[in-house]
Amino acid sequence: MTTVVPGRRTRRQSELLDRLLTLFLEQGFSRFTLDDLAAELRCSKTTLYALAPSKEQLAVEVVKHYFKNATAQVESAVARQTRHDRRIAAYLNAVADALRPASRTFLDDVATFAPARSVYERNTRIAADRVRSLIEDGINNKTFRQVDIAFAAEMVAHTMQAIQRGDIARRTGLNDAEAYRELASFVLHSLRLD
């Protein structure tokens, strides 16, 4: 069996992770066995073992891959904005765009599998910290009205965590992407100077 070296992937392995990600986003991952995945991707189980030593760890690797790609897309969207009020909207809307391809099955699988849920929770905390810095930048540049930054950031963080847990979907019927779009609109309109 090939030894897994974190962070070092061949082009073929990266392509395989991308294909797994597409499959998992559409259908989730809990129902698949390694045999199913090997057949679906037309590769050997040994090839999959080169990515991770078990199906469970493979699911975590794919979820990490998803968030790594999503983070790059989100930060790219923010970098294209020069106005501070548009940066926070760009950030939250890009998060919504990144979540759009994720089926409810995928999100439910992530929520019920503790190691994958931990990856999502960690990324949600990082995203909440990033939103806090964007709020602070907007206040410092007088684009946003003066608010208690810690309180505003906590409100956003709690909403983001409720989205991640599926609470918002259950209570409102909004999927995660729609909820992030609504959050972007709410935050932007709440912080703008009159």
Side-chain angles (χ1 to χ4, degrees), residues 6-81:
R8 295 185 150 187
R9 304 263 185 230
T10 66
R11 187 174 71 197
R12 167 119 167 88
Q13 288 174 324
S14 294
E15 289 169 359
L16 196 56
L17 274 175
D18 288 340
R19 290 174 58 207
L20 280 165
L21 177 56
T22 299
L23 179 66
F24 286 3
L25 286 171
E26 291 172 1
Q27 300 180 37
F29 53 81
S30 64
R31 72 176 186 88
F32 290 106
T33 65
L34 277 176
D35 287 325
D36 295 335
L37 292 172
E40 183 78 30
L41 298 171
R42 294 188 172 103
C43 69
S44 68
K45 284 182 10 179
T46 303
T47 301
L48 294 176
Y49 282 126
L51 295 173
S54 70
K55 180 219 160 182
E56 291 76 17
Q57 290 173 329
L58 182 62
V60 171
E61 285 301 311
V62 173
V63 171
K64 286 179 182 177
H65 184 65
Y66 167 72
F67 281 108
K68 180 181 176 186
N69 291 346
T71 299
Q73 293 168 1
V74 169
E75 288 302 332
S76 175
V78 172
R80 289 190 298 269
Q81 299 297 326

Side-chain angles (χ1 to χ4, degrees), residues 67 116-129 164:
F67 281 108
R117 183 177 62 243
S118 176
V119 172
Y120 195 162
E121 289 169 350
R122 180 179 176 273
N123 279 276
T124 300
R125 284 190 305 273
I126 291 167
D129 288 344
Q164 176 260 311

